[in-house]
Amino acid sequence: MSRPHILIVGGAGVFGSRLARLLARRKGFRVSLGGRTERRAVALQRELRTIDEQGEYGFVLIDRDRIGVERLKEIDCDVVVDCSGPFQLSGTQLIEAAIGARCHYVDIADSRAFVAGIARFDSAARAVAISVISGASSTPGLTHAVLDQVTSAWLAVDSVDVAIVPGNRTPKGRSVIEGILSWVGQPVRVFREAGWERGRGWSGGRSVTIEGLPPRRAMLADVPDLDLLPARFAPRVRAGFDAGMELPVLNWLIGVAAVPVRWGLVKSAGVFAGLGTQIALWLDRFGTADGGMLVEAAGQDARGDPRVVRWWLRAANGDGPYVPVLPTAAIIEQLTFGGRLRGGARSAAGVVSLEQIKPWLEGLAIETKQVAFRGEKPLYRRVMGEGFDRLPEVTRRLHRGRPAVIAEGEAVVAPATNPVARFLAKRLGLPLDEGRLPVRVVIESREGREHWTRFFADRPMRSVMSAAPDGLIEERFGAVAIRMRLVPRGDGLDMQRVSGRIWNVPLPGLLLPRITAEERVDEGGRHRFEVEIGLPLFGRLVAYRGYLVL
């Protein structure tokens, strides 16, 4: 029986060479390394023949942007795999040639637009009974395999958060740098706070903790999963994808590259790709060769109980670049030996399972682990103790922690009128519009804190609540933090201001905000609220009252 013939375009590159090694270890494929020059492939060919002495590992001169159907027919491959990148700048000539030559096509695209556009080839691919699969990489191939497993029986998904934090000493080519810089500083459509919003590439930032690695920072990345996670898993609150470098200086430099994009001085930070590649290579001596990936999902399991699952992957000894081609290898196996993949064009989301990917980890310094959590005690219950049980059922439900709360209603808003008060209100993110407005509240519990977003019409007012000493609760609006005592009532809850801080410096009485905050339940079972915030010297910052339906 002849071996399936796999053509890897970019076969001598960072990712293509890893895929070739994985296939060689199976000793069941004929592999051709495609590229513009043979020089880079010679040493790899020798290595592959050492791994698989009976295998054929040739070189094929190919330019993916100029290849035609006849050339691909001449090569006579069963599957052509595009590992060249950057896909943000790629055309579709290779896809069209694969359809014309009637060979399967797979790529490791991480470009949101490229993967989203693959469906337009569906009819043509079905007509010739081949598969065209895009994004057979960490995103969306691996992320969806993980999430399909961990959320398979869930009743609902609240949030999905993914992060990739590679080691600094892992190999990185110019195409990787170009791919990242293509979206740095650009507008990014992202689903969060229970709705679609606009962010900026490489903005925000959070700390990512993976067992065996020091905490690393990760920023918003514009990848296919920002579309595909909401589409396949329908999270109620959020679907995020972040990426970050091991060295803080590289994270900072990429952030600097975003500034001229945001200011309109350049169309794309890709103009810095050459300089960025040189800096990355110069800094290659620092850091480690260890990287990781984190997938976290929160929601309601099959019993309706709140549940959080964390799945992480840690790659050591420079094996991180194998991770993006693990789904590719699994898909090739299914296309050539499994015979269970339907024809047509689609993203790699949900194409292969985690169980089909796992065997390809053999021999690699890559470890995975899954941890699940249940029954986190709600913040308000932790602060109030037995007093929480004296609250009305509607009030307890609002402050339940998990699953996330999304409630809608109406509010009458009286904003600040004093010019100084209006300036301060704007800085704190308080409502500035007057009148009767629709209101939507999203409350999400994360790591023991409650993240509140109150939308008055479409303007968000954000705060974070956490437990404070002496049985108090602290609500933080940016740099300002107010500590309050929670007083249970038969029909609701009162919040009494105790103290305040700005940048962790205690506020004197002259600057301490005056706060009235009450929660009640009306005869119709609706949650009613009345809040007023003011300053001694400048008067009202905002006042609003209304109702929510849970």
Side-chain angles (χ1 to χ4, degrees):
M1 179 179 174
S2 62
R3 296 184 175 192
H5 183 193
I6 313 301
L7 169 63
I8 305 175
V9 180
V14 172
F15 302 114
S17 63
R18 267 74 181 174
L19 177 60
R21 292 185 183 99
L22 289 177
L23 297 178
R25 290 172 187 174
R26 283 297 179 94
K27 300 181 180 180
F29 298 93
R30 173 189 167 198
V31 177
S32 293
L33 307 176
R36 293 188 178 97
T37 60
E38 188 173 4
R39 176 179 52 83
R40 293 180 61 194
V42 173
L44 178 59
Q45 286 174 287
R46 287 198 297 266
E47 179 187 346
L48 297 175
R49 289 166 184 152
T50 300
I51 297 171
D52 178 15
E53 295 179 355
Q54 304 300 316
E56 294 182 55
Y57 298 95
F59 174 79
V60 173
L61 185 66
I62 187 172
D63 184 340
R64 69 164 184 180
D65 295 325
R66 298 179 180 176
I67 190 169
V69 173
E70 294 306 315
R71 175 58 175 149
L72 206 53
K73 284 183 177 179
E74 179 185 329
I75 296 169
D76 191 26
C77 57
D78 296 289
V79 184
V80 56
V81 184
D82 192 352
C83 290
S84 51
F87 290 89
Q88 288 82 357
L89 309 174
S90 295
T92 60
Q93 290 88 339
L94 187 57
I95 300 173
E96 294 162 10
I99 293 172
R102 300 195 174 196
C103 67
H104 299 298
Y105 167 93
V106 183
D107 67 45
I108 61 168
D110 60 353
S111 165
R112 189 173 181 177
F114 190 93
V115 174
I118 203 70
R120 67 188 176 95
F121 296 101
D122 187 55
S123 296
R126 286 177 181 271
V128 294
I130 66 162
S131 290
V132 173
I133 300 173
S134 186
S137 185
S138 307
T139 166
L142 181 54
T143 51
H144 287 250
V146 172
L147 289 164
D148 281 338
Q149 176 174 294
V150 303
T151 68
S152 61
W154 285 19
L155 300 180
V157 175
D158 279 352
S159 62
V160 176
D161 293 290
V162 182
I164 293 179
V165 285
N168 188 61
R169 291 190 182 181
T170 53
K172 42 189 146 335
R174 181 185 173 107
S175 64
V176 174
I177 305 297
E178 286 180 332
I180 293 172
L181 291 178
S182 69
W183 46 259
V184 164
Q186 301 288 350
V188 174
R189 188 169 178 262
V190 57
F191 185 80
R192 57 191 179 195
E193 296 173 328
W196 288 99
E197 301 177 2
R198 194 180 79 161
R200 289 276 182 175
W202 212 261
S203 65
R206 65 184 175 104
S207 179
V208 176
T209 302
I210 295 172
E211 190 173 310
L213 297 177
R216 294 178 183 175
R217 296 290 293 174
M219 275 62 67
L220 176 63
D222 192 19
V223 297
D225 267 341
L226 293 187
D227 290 323
L228 295 170
L229 291 174
R232 291 196 71 234
F233 298 99
R236 298 172 60 238
V237 178
R238 187 181 66 258
F241 198 110
D242 301 304
M245 303 301 173
E246 179 181 8
L247 300 185
V249 66
L250 276 179
N251 283 333
W252 179 79
L253 286 171
I254 295 172
V256 169
V259 174
V261 178
R262 300 185 69 163
W263 289 356
L265 301 178
V266 297
K267 289 185 177 180
S268 168
V271 299
F272 305 118
L275 176 61
T277 303
Q278 290 301 313
I279 292 173
L281 293 175
W282 183 77
L283 292 173
D284 195 55
R285 71 196 77 176
F286 303 104
T288 70
D290 301 341
M293 177 176 177
L294 175 66
V295 180
E296 182 173 289
Q300 293 174 271
D301 64 15
R303 299 188 302 181
D305 295 332
R307 191 172 180 86
V308 178
V309 176
R310 286 170 57 91
W311 180 95
W312 57 256
L313 173 152
R314 179 166 58 87
N317 302 335
D319 279 354
Y322 280 99
V323 176
V325 295
L326 292 172
T328 314
I331 289 172
I332 291 172
E333 183 177 40
Q334 294 301 307
L335 288 171
T336 54
F337 292 113
R340 292 185 292 274
L341 295 185
R342 63 173 176 82
R346 58 199 182 280
S347 80
V351 171
V352 287
S353 69
L354 195 56
E355 291 306 311
Q356 291 169 328
I357 293 172
K358 280 181 177 179
W360 293 93
L361 290 168
E362 184 178 348
L364 300 176
I366 295 177
E367 178 187 5
T368 66
K369 187 175 181 179
Q370 180 176 316
V371 181
F373 307 90
R374 286 181 186 269
E376 178 186 76
K377 185 178 290 188
L379 171 64
Y380 273 56
R381 181 178 288 279
R382 284 189 281 120
V383 172
M384 300 180 69
E386 294 180 357
F388 186 80
D389 294 322
R390 299 201 297 270
L391 297 174
E393 189 273 336
V394 170
T395 308
R396 293 199 307 270
R397 191 147 38 99
L398 182 77
H399 298 292
R400 69 191 179 196
R402 288 195 173 109
V405 173
I406 302 174
E408 296 184 350
E410 189 177 72
V412 177
V413 180
T417 55
N418 180 289
V420 176
R422 284 189 67 85
F423 171 80
L424 294 173
K426 184 175 182 179
R427 296 291 297 176
L428 292 171
L430 304 179
L432 299 175
D433 297 325
E434 184 175 12
R436 189 178 299 274
L437 304 173
V439 62
R440 178 167 60 95
V441 176
V442 180
I443 310 170
E444 186 184 9
S445 178
R446 302 200 303 267
E447 298 177 345
R449 297 179 174 87
E450 283 191 0
H451 295 254
W452 285 60
T453 306
R454 310 159 181 87
F455 289 94
F456 295 89
D458 293 324
R459 295 180 63 90
M461 170 184 166
R462 299 182 176 94
S463 66
V464 179
M465 295 188 186
S466 59
D470 303 320
L472 304 179
I473 198 165
E474 180 176 275
E475 185 165 16
R476 179 175 290 275
F477 300 85
V480 177
I482 304 298
R483 291 186 175 178
M484 297 173 288
R485 190 177 310 281
L486 303 178
V487 181
R489 294 170 50 102
D491 59 348
L493 173 70
D494 289 344
M495 301 179 180
Q496 299 175 349
R497 184 217 63 194
V498 175
S499 63
R501 297 176 298 153
I502 182 168
W503 291 300
N504 291 324
V505 178
L507 287 168
L510 188 63
L511 298 176
L512 195 60
R514 297 191 305 267
I515 297 176
T516 302
E518 298 178 352
E519 297 181 359
R520 299 290 185 267
V521 178
D522 65 19
E523 294 179 354
R526 298 183 303 183
H527 174 84
R528 302 200 69 91
F529 54 85
E530 185 164 354
V531 177
E532 183 167 0
I533 306 173
L535 287 175
L537 297 178
F538 305 111
R540 184 180 67 219
L541 292 177
V542 70
Y544 57 89
R545 56 184 173 82
Y547 69 88
L548 293 172
V549 178
L550 277 70

